[in-house]
Amino acid sequence: MLTIANKTFTSRLFTGTGKFPTYQSMQDSLEASGSELVTVALRRVNVKDKDDDMLAHLSHPRINLLPNTSGVRTAKEAVFAAQLAREALETQWVKLEIHPDPKYLLPDPIETLKATEELVKEGFVVLPYVHADPVLCKRLEEAGAAAVMPLGSPIGSNNGLKTLDFLKIIIEQSNVPVVIDAGLGVPSHAAQAMEIGADAVLVNTAIAVAQNPVEMAKAFKMAVEAGRMAYACGKGAISTQANPSSPLTEFLSYE
Amino acid sequence: MSEFKDLLSQYPPEKVHQALTNVTATRVEQTLAKKERDLEDFLVMISPAAAPYLEVMAQKSRQLTLQRFGNNMQLFAPLYLSNECQNICTYCGFSLDNKIPRKTLSDKEIMKEVEVLKGMGFEHILLVTGEANRTVGVDYLAHAIQLIKPHFANVSMEVQPLDQDEYERLISSGLHSVLVYQETYYRETYKIHHPKGKKSNFDYRLETPDRLGRAGIHKIGIGSLIGLEDWRVDSFYTAMHLRYLEKKYWQTKYAISFPRLRPFSGGQEPKVAMSDRELVQLICAYRLMDPDVELSLSTRETEHFRNHVIKLGITSMSAGSKTNPGGYAAGKESLEQFEISDERSPRKVADLLERNGYQPVWKDWDPILQGTFG
Ligand code: SF4
């Protein structure tokens, strides 16, 4: 069971809502994914409209909405966006995305830290999207982030875990859940993320753009479960403790 | 980093033309086999030698577009505020020497247009005027933005080039993006087509995206008008401009348009015709060079062409457009800037997209993300 802030999750697969051909296929895929935390871009929903089409397709008792601030370029804009999201979607949770670079959508570490500090003060549950930077992740944790969301590779790139070495350090050092976000293109990428000990993964493009999004959502669900299971079993196998039988040092016991 | 003007002068049209002619089939094949492609590769892909590889380009372009943009198509509508213009442009219906009734919308008339456009479902709106600084100067524009902003998620503008401080003022009132086409990057040809008015200053227009970038605009749309000169050479310059801007103003998003000359009242025939095949080649070449750039298609193009090209790399399109001020609420009172080809209603265009597995996206922005409030 995964706990972030005060919520527990059975599923470790978080999903996004962009890029689907229809809201129906989005809804069906989310259903198949078993996901309990779903990101929604504030830019895509009509917060003034109570019957917004996208939101209507996301109202399911299992699904928790995680509004994101995609589109903002500064901490100040992010804070405004989070406040609006809180009011409109009635959630304290926010996925903090600050990318001043509109091409690769790479997150701004300085503004992200600033906004996290501010939002935590205001009582938000902040999940910042960041580069796989171990020091930054520690700083965010100290600032009160509820989890950290380092990227595997640039958003939508499907390139998998290009940042593997740094993700391992982040996971090893973190006291808050680590959710690997962005770049997971195929289920094996998600499985790998879980095998190295990520607490969860977030997948959007790979599911939304698949020929059959529903089947792909299922495949990711299984991959995340398999990866997690392997991580749980593998812990012993990769233990750095000495083995009970120590052929190299055995001779010492005869002294 | 040098200015774009200097960069441009290093590539005289003859040189670009020669390079285009020298491209071989082998070179095209090598380029298409690459994982990532640069400006030189763009030139290879728009060359006549690449024409036989159109299907391969289209396949790759479609796949890249899906990966980066998903099954989404952004929809927007132009809102013509005025057809007054102090310039002479040989290809435009609003040209000063064209004797048409002139009109600039009042607040009340703007709001009537807003009502109709809202009723059609639009959230992204493009404000358009001619260049008449006395009637539709920056004060008029700032006022218009204030007026319509509460009703739309995203406001763009395609008007005369402005100074940096004027852009800053409009951005702080909620302007999201500016479209400014160079028309042609051939200095000499530019002079011929813009004999009178402020627009005859080639360099001032050329440097507009720089002023916008410095002002901190979110998105800049550029393009060249297809028909004035060799489209391959002009498109190479446009792509070069794009690359230059992306590196310099890295916080700004970019969009490319491909306006082909359209008939208008009293107008001339295009000097250079571009076939549908060639336009597809150009669209795919942009996508293959720049997987993230927005590619936009207007209702200048025919229904048939638009129906097919949506799958090949385009990410945003206008629908149901009227190109005369007041056209949505009142119909054809004043003359249009150009005739549109695809006259289908926005709903019909959205149906077409859905039938093709695309989600019509009406809203993909919120003023709050800019720190401005609706
Ligand atoms: S293209 Fe623009 S500047 Fe030229 S005549 Fe038309 S409206 Fe005026």
Side-chain angles (χ1 to χ4, degrees):
Chain A
M1 207 83 113
L2 164 67
T3 305
I4 301 179
N6 48 358
K7 254 192 196 117
T8 51
F9 299 91
T10 330
S11 161
R12 292 173 182 269
L13 172 60
F14 300 159
T15 46
T17 46
K19 300 188 180 179
F20 284 94
T22 60
Y23 287 137
Q24 194 55 51
S25 76
M26 173 188 82
Q27 192 178 26
D28 297 343
S29 306
L30 298 185
E31 180 64 36
S33 73
S35 183
E36 295 159 321
L37 191 67
V38 176
T39 61
V40 185
L42 203 53
R43 58 199 289 170
R44 285 292 299 275
V45 296
N46 205 336
V47 291
K48 288 179 223 148
D49 179 6
K50 284 271 167 269
D51 310 311
D52 180 85
D53 237 14
M54 182 184 292
L55 295 180
H57 283 88
L58 293 174
S59 70
H60 185 286
R62 194 190 67 221
I63 291 178
N64 298 281
L65 292 186
L66 178 61
N68 73 46
T69 61
S70 157
V72 307
R73 302 193 293 199
T74 64
K76 199 172 142 213
E77 291 170 354
V79 171
F80 280 141
Q83 288 165 339
L84 178 75
R86 170 158 70 181
E87 209 178 296
L89 305 179
E90 293 167 0
T91 171
Q92 299 281 104
W93 287 51
V94 63
K95 180 184 171 199
L96 186 58
E97 280 186 42
I98 306 182
H99 26 67
D101 147 40
K103 200 166 159 61
Y104 295 102
L105 305 176
L106 295 172
D108 183 325
I110 300 162
E111 295 295 308
T112 304
L113 182 59
K114 254 198 261 173
T116 302
E117 285 165 352
E118 178 67 35
L119 290 168
V120 168
K121 256 189 246 152
E122 293 189 24
F124 281 93
V125 175
V126 185
L127 288 78
Y129 167 61
V130 284
H131 208 291
D133 178 337
V135 175
L136 177 64
C137 287
K138 286 313 278 182
R139 293 285 300 265
L140 288 164
E141 181 185 315
E142 283 162 9
V148 287
M149 306 184 77
L151 56 82
S153 48
I155 293 182
S157 69
N158 288 353
N159 276 338
L161 304 186
K162 292 290 179 208
T163 53
L164 183 65
D165 291 352
F166 304 104
L167 291 172
K168 285 182 179 163
I169 300 173
I170 292 169
I171 292 167
E172 183 203 318
Q173 294 185 336
S174 189
N175 293 313
V176 291
V178 177
V179 182
I180 298 182
D181 186 4
L184 307 182
V186 284
S188 58
H189 292 154
Q192 190 191 9
M194 299 310 295
E195 283 165 16
I196 63 166
D199 294 281
V201 295
L202 195 146
V203 182
N204 183 13
T205 305
I207 296 176
V209 171
Q211 291 277 339
N212 186 337
V214 174
E215 288 294 300
M216 191 56 110
K218 261 190 232 159
F220 268 99
K221 177 178 193 262
M222 291 156 82
V224 168
E225 285 166 3
R228 181 68 190 177
M229 206 183 277
Y231 170 72
C233 309
K235 254 194 157 166
I238 54 167
S239 157
T240 50
Q241 302 291 313
N243 265 320
S245 71
S246 320
L248 290 181
T249 50
E250 208 174 10
F251 71 100
L252 294 170
S253 51
Y254 297 107
E255 266 185 31
Chain B
M1 191 173 178
S2 58
E3 297 300 311
F4 185 65
K5 194 167 53 171
D6 306 324
L7 205 61
L8 189 62
S9 65
Q10 292 166 25
Y11 293 84
E14 312 77 61
K15 209 169 132 186
V16 180
H17 189 81
Q18 192 56 49
L20 281 158
T21 325
N22 289 347
V23 176
T24 60
T26 320
R27 187 76 202 285
V28 175
E29 283 167 22
Q30 283 166 347
T31 302
L32 294 180
K34 283 187 174 181
K35 239 187 121 190
E36 273 143 24
R37 300 166 195 88
D38 58 17
L39 185 63
E40 257 182 59
D41 299 325
F42 179 81
L43 182 132
V44 169
M45 293 185 290
I46 58 169
S47 72
Y53 297 88
L54 196 59
E55 182 59 28
V56 187
M57 286 175 66
Q59 298 278 357
K60 284 182 188 282
S61 170
R62 172 168 169 74
Q63 191 243 327
L64 266 177
T65 310
L66 275 179
Q67 188 186 331
R68 296 302 173 101
F69 293 85
N71 304 279
N72 292 167
M73 184 72 67
Q74 171 76 239
L75 290 174
F76 70 95
L79 168 46
Y80 278 71
L81 295 172
S82 171
N83 65 0
E84 291 190 50
C85 190
Q86 302 299 327
N87 285 323
I88 292 183
C89 299
T90 58
Y91 46 80
C92 174
F94 293 173
S95 189
L96 179 66
D97 56 352
N98 202 13
K99 299 288 167 250
I100 52 161
R102 302 288 169 165
K103 186 173 183 63
T104 295
L105 299 187
S106 66
D107 289 6
K108 221 171 124 196
E109 288 165 324
I110 293 176
M111 292 318 290
K112 270 196 193 157
E113 297 288 278
V114 165
E115 206 178 303
V116 179
L117 286 164
K118 283 295 281 188
M120 292 171 168
F122 286 108
E123 280 291 340
H124 288 228
I125 216 79
L126 170 66
L127 303 180
V128 189
T129 69
E131 177 157 356
N133 282 312
R134 259 165 291 141
T135 33
V136 285
V138 70
D139 290 332
Y140 177 88
L141 295 169
H143 177 71
I145 292 170
Q146 293 285 357
L147 207 60
I148 70 158
K149 197 184 55 176
H151 306 281
F152 296 99
N154 185 297
V155 181
S156 306
M157 188 174 91
E158 186 182 336
V159 307
Q160 72 275 23
L162 301 172
D163 291 340
Q164 186 181 330
D165 57 337
E166 295 176 317
Y167 282 133
E168 281 163 8
R169 177 175 163 200
L170 299 180
I171 293 165
S172 66
S173 11
L175 180 65
H176 178 268
S177 36
V178 171
L179 278 54
V180 58
Y181 306 137
Q182 186 57 31
E183 320 295 14
T184 176
Y185 287 85
Y186 284 66
R187 220 172 248 279
E188 298 308 315
T189 312
Y190 186 91
K191 250 187 241 158
I192 298 168
H193 290 285
H194 308 97
K196 189 184 172 298
K198 235 185 142 188
K199 194 170 173 178
S200 58
N201 186 340
F202 180 88
D203 287 330
Y204 186 71
R205 195 167 185 91
L206 191 69
E207 285 160 2
T208 308
D210 285 283
R211 295 194 298 279
L212 281 162
R214 284 195 296 267
I217 191 90
H218 265 90
K219 187 164 90 189
I220 301 176
I222 59 171
S224 46
L225 186 55
I226 293 163
L228 298 183
E229 264 303 346
D230 182 339
W231 67 265
R232 291 192 169 88
V233 180
D234 251 337
S235 301
F236 174 75
Y237 292 143
T238 312
M240 191 163 91
H241 206 171
L242 173 69
R243 277 299 195 224
Y244 158 88
L245 292 166
E246 279 178 337
K247 279 196 185 151
K248 196 156 182 177
Y249 309 103
W250 61 277
Q251 300 208 15
T252 297
K253 215 177 174 136
Y254 296 91
I256 299 283
S257 301
F258 324 87
R260 285 199 280 191
L261 263 185
R262 293 282 311 151
F264 74 96
S265 130
Q268 54 165 192
E269 282 299 303
K271 169 180 166 187
V272 189
M274 179 197 225
S275 68
D276 285 358
R277 273 190 83 83
E278 288 169 335
L279 182 49
V280 169
Q281 187 182 350
L282 180 61
I283 290 169
C284 297
Y286 269 114
R287 177 58 67 232
L288 291 176
M289 173 186 77
D290 198 329
D292 305 284
V293 73
E294 284 185 19
L295 300 178
S296 180
L297 198 70
S298 80
T299 52
R300 284 168 183 258
E301 300 301 338
T302 61
E303 225 180 280
H304 175 77
F305 186 73
R306 278 163 49 103
N307 287 357
H308 291 90
V309 92
I310 47 174
K311 290 187 185 159
L312 303 181
I314 295 298
T315 57
S316 83
M317 59 204 289
S318 51
S321 306
K322 301 278 184 245
T323 70
N324 54 323
Y328 294 104
K332 284 194 184 184
E333 258 180 17
S334 53
L335 262 156
E336 303 163 307
Q337 188 183 29
F338 55 85
E339 287 171 25
I340 62 168
S341 286
D342 183 349
E343 307 216 13
R344 283 173 296 185
S345 69
R347 189 58 255 166
K348 276 210 165 129
V349 173
D351 288 345
L352 160 86
L353 289 169
E354 281 163 9
R355 273 201 310 278
N356 281 280
Y358 283 83
Q359 189 180 141
V361 175
W362 302 92
K363 178 179 184 294
D364 193 17
W365 190 251
D366 199 286
I368 201 87
L369 299 167
Q370 254 165 284
T372 48
F373 304 91

